[in-house]
């Protein structure tokens, strides 16, 4: 796996080596622009530092001032592309895989293409760049614990925010924003071009993302619209999403716009807005999520159904299990549920924020058992917000926190995020599919593993823990 901080140094070293081998009369050129070759062939010119040879089909070679020698992806790509780990890559502006973002009519179907990214590959983004996988196409980004795939900005290190865009997946799964056409207009994915997502296939498959790190993103692509680290527009449960880290994003870490996506082993660190966000009828699953917040950041979870119609169907109603949110003074609450969202939150821990839970704008979700907390620890300065939600001085969060499923105690997290409190250990594993809800609807699936402990890390586990070895150094 190539290390980002070495790239520029390697390019400079190559330049110096070439210079040392030249007589004073020789000309040496260093190409700091992009080669326009479209066949992935040789780039650069002269006898100086040149673009990589034999860049993969669908990319072109260049030498970038910050990123060094790279293979470049740009514009709309309508072919299968494989990014081998032999090179580093640069996203130049918007990079769109496929044509499924068009407004589809009648029986029209998009072409299907796959972007394959080999384990250990580094992908850099210019400040106005982002990657979009459209409906019908797929991403195949299967990293490993030893060789994760990394998306970051072109500059040295991984510590910035808002320095490039992010990764966007668009699928055919259901949302409640569909007017019946099967096309929902996406937000924050380009300044001029409309892009569409959605449909009725909740088993839709947008590909694979495993052992992937996304950092320094959140560039503002439109006024007041930044890109999330990972955005899932109508993504279906056929998609494989596990061992994903989003770090230091200017906007949200991960956001679900409807769909039925299922994510496990999710790490969200130092994101400046909300860490987890959902709306528009999201009915997927999240398990083993570790969230660490920074001061003045947004919510650990900001969750909605629909702002104009709280009861709009399908209602946002995901099932979550084994979530740990480690808050920070001055940040927003651990979780905020509003605008009619439901949720089933099991075996989780919220700690360290000024407030653990805020619930606003609800209709009948609490009384109909569609917003349920089961085996959850709150440990914040105030466990609930003090808003007047019903005009009579009552905070809806008090109803949730006052249930038998919530305990207000110190989970006693250690440096490895393992809870030492006996309240975080259960006598037997919880069957997440047995929670009763209105109409017999339950979004827990066999994707979720039944566990007998609270939080993202098993108190009986030993090193290496599931988040170790592949996440960015120093972020946990």
């Amino acid at each position: 796996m190539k290390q980002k901080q070495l790239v520029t140094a390697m390019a400079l070293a190559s330049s110096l080596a070439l210079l040392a081998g030249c007589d004073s009369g020789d000309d040496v050129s260093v190409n700091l622009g992009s080669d326009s070759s479209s066949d992935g062939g040789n780039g650069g010119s002269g006898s100086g530092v040149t673009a990589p040879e034999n860049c993969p089909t669908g990319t072109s070679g260049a030498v970038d001032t910050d990123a060094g020698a790279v293979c470049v992806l740009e514009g709309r790509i309508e072919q299968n592309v494989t990014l081998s780990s032999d090179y580093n890559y640069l996203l130049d502006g918007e990079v769109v895989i496929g044509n499924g973002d068009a407004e589809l009519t009648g029986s029209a179907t998009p072409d299907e293409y796959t972007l394959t990214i080999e384990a250990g590959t580094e992908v850099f983004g210019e400040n106005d760049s982002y990657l979009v996988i459209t409906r019908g196409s797929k991403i195949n980004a299967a990293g490993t614990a030893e060789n994760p795939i990394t998306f970051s900005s072109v500059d040295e290190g991984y510590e910035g925010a808002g320095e490039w865009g992010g990764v966007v997946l668009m699928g055919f799964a259901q949302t409640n924003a569909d007017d019946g056409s099967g096309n929902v207009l996406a937000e924050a994915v380009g300044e001029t071009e409309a892009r569409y997502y959605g449909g009725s296939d909740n088993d839709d498959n947008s590909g694979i993302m495993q052992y992937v790190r996304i950092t320094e993103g959140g560039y503002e692509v439109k006024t007041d619209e930044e890109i999330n680290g990972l955005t899932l527009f109508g993504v279906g449960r056929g998609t494989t999403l596990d061992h994903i880290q989003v770090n230091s994003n200017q906007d949200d870490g991960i956001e679900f716009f409807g769909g039925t996506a299922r994510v496990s082993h999710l790490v969200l660190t130092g994101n400046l807005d909300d860490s987890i966000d959902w709306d528009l009828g999201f009915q997927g699953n999240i398990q083993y999520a570790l969230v660490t917040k920074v001061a003045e950041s947004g919510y650990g979870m900001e969750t909605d159904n629909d702002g104009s119609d709280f009861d709009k169907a399908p209602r946002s109603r995901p099932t979550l299990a084994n979530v740990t949110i480690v808050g920070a003074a001055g940040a927003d609450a651990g979780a905020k549920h509003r605008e009619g969202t439901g949720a089933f939150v099991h075996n989780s821990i919220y700690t360290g924020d000024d407030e653990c839970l805020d619930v606003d704008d609800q209709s009948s979700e609490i009384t109909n058992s569609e917003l349920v907390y089961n085996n959850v620890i709150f440990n914040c300065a105030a466990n609930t917000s003090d808003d007047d939600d019903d005009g009579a001085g009552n905070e809806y969060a008090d109803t949730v926190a006052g249930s038998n499923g919530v305990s207000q105690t110190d989970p006693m997290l250690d440096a490895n995020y393992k809870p030492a409190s006996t309240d975080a250990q259960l006598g037997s594993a919880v069957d997440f599919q047995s929670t009763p809800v209105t109409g017999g609807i339950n979004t827990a699936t066999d994707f979720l593993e039944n566990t007998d402990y609270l939080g993202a890390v098993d108190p009986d586990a030993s090193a290496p823990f599931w988040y170790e070895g592949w996440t960015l150094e120093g972020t946990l």
Side-chain angles (χ1 to χ4, degrees):
M1 178 178 64
K2 299 177 176 66
Q3 296 299 317
K4 176 182 178 181
Q5 56 266 39
L6 298 180
V7 174
T8 304
M10 290 171 63
L12 178 59
S14 298
S15 300
L16 294 175
L18 286 167
L19 288 169
C22 296
D23 294 329
S24 59
D26 293 332
D27 293 328
V28 177
S29 64
V30 179
N31 175 25
L32 297 180
S34 296
D35 180 77
S36 59
S37 162
S38 61
D39 63 358
N42 296 329
S45 61
S47 58
V49 175
T50 59
E53 296 183 357
N54 303 315
C55 278
T57 300
T59 73
S60 59
V63 177
D64 179 83
T65 306
D66 295 307
V70 290
C71 298
V72 179
L73 294 87
E74 59 184 330
R76 187 177 296 274
I77 298 174
E78 297 185 60
Q79 61 181 337
N80 295 325
V81 176
T82 296
L83 307 185
S84 76
S85 59
D86 296 327
Y87 303 97
N88 289 319
Y89 299 88
L90 179 68
L91 304 176
D92 184 5
E94 61 179 16
V95 177
V96 181
I97 307 299
N99 50 35
D101 55 329
E103 189 171 11
L104 302 175
T105 59
S107 59
T109 58
D111 297 317
E112 298 180 5
Y113 303 106
T114 299
L115 173 65
T116 298
I117 306 176
E118 292 185 352
T121 300
E122 294 258 6
V123 181
F124 306 139
E126 297 281 9
N127 64 359
D128 61 347
S129 66
Y130 50 93
L131 174 65
V132 181
I133 310 296
T134 66
R135 292 182 292 186
S137 291
K138 293 181 174 65
I139 186 170
N140 179 16
T144 66
E146 296 76 20
N147 291 294
I149 294 164
T150 306
F151 291 88
S152 68
S153 70
V154 294
D155 69 354
E156 185 176 356
Y158 299 112
E159 299 79 20
E163 296 179 352
W164 73 289
V167 178
V168 179
L169 305 187
M170 310 180 88
F172 281 109
Q174 186 179 25
T175 83
N176 63 22
D178 192 346
D179 61 3
S181 68
N183 296 287
V184 180
L185 183 64
E187 66 175 54
V189 283
E191 183 63 44
T192 59
E193 188 170 355
R195 303 195 192 285
Y196 295 89
Y197 69 99
S200 59
D201 183 5
N202 285 336
D203 293 319
D204 187 42
N205 180 1
S206 294
I208 299 170
M209 292 183 70
Q210 295 176 305
Y211 293 100
V212 173
R213 313 181 302 188
I214 303 169
T215 187
E216 303 181 305
Y219 176 79
E220 185 179 67
V221 295
K222 295 181 182 178
T223 302
D224 297 326
E225 287 190 15
E226 299 89 2
I227 291 185
N228 307 302
L230 178 59
T231 304
L232 304 175
F233 285 112
V235 172
R237 55 183 166 237
T239 309
T240 299
L241 300 164
D242 66 78
H243 295 87
I244 296 171
Q245 179 184 20
V246 181
N247 176 69
S248 191
N249 204 73
Q250 184 73 33
D251 198 44
D252 300 338
I254 184 170
E255 183 163 6
F256 303 83
F257 290 87
T260 54
R262 307 185 298 188
V263 185
S264 73
H265 300 91
L266 177 64
V267 177
L268 301 163
T269 50
N271 296 297
L272 302 185
D273 199 356
D274 310 314
S275 296
I276 299 171
D277 198 331
W278 72 66
D279 48 30
L280 302 183
F282 173 52
Q283 298 190 70
N285 299 148
I286 302 172
Q287 188 170 30
Y288 309 121
L290 179 55
V291 176
T292 62
K293 298 168 60 180
V294 294
E296 309 303 326
S297 63
Y299 298 97
M301 291 190 284
E302 183 183 64
T303 71
D304 306 271
N305 185 46
D306 182 85
S308 61
D309 181 357
F310 297 167
D311 293 318
K312 197 169 187 179
R315 189 189 302 281
S316 293
R317 191 165 36 200
T319 299
L320 290 71
N322 299 102
V323 176
T324 295
I325 298 175
V326 180
D332 289 331
K336 185 181 184 74
H337 304 305
R338 65 181 186 182
E339 296 183 353
T341 189
F344 308 112
V345 182
H346 302 275
N347 293 19
S348 295
I349 295 172
Y350 300 172
T351 185
D353 275 311
D354 295 336
E355 298 173 348
C356 278
L357 182 65
D358 187 9
V359 180
D360 295 336
D361 308 327
Q362 296 300 294
S363 179
S364 59
E365 296 72 52
I366 298 175
T367 56
N368 286 347
S369 298
E370 294 179 274
L371 179 59
V372 176
Y373 273 53
N374 180 45
N375 297 319
V376 180
I377 286 178
F378 286 175
N379 181 45
C380 299
N383 288 319
T384 60
S385 175
D386 60 358
D387 298 340
D388 180 2
D389 291 328
D390 62 358
N394 297 311
E395 161 61 56
Y396 292 139
D398 290 334
T399 303
V400 176
S403 69
N404 293 330
V406 175
S407 59
Q408 302 181 24
T409 188
D410 186 352
M412 301 170 61
L413 296 183
D414 68 11
N416 300 307
Y417 305 98
K418 296 197 307 180
S421 171
T422 56
D423 290 316
Q425 301 181 50
L426 307 175
S428 59
V430 175
D431 180 357
F432 301 126
Q433 298 183 60
S434 67
T435 301
V437 296
T438 299
I441 298 171
N442 197 321
T443 53
T445 67
D446 56 7
F447 170 80
L448 295 171
E449 299 176 345
N450 296 336
T451 57
D452 61 359
Y453 61 89
L454 278 57
V457 182
D458 187 341
D460 294 328
S462 57
F465 302 101
W466 63 260
Y467 57 82
E468 290 186 313
W470 61 274
T471 51
L472 293 166
E473 184 176 356
T475 57
L476 286 170

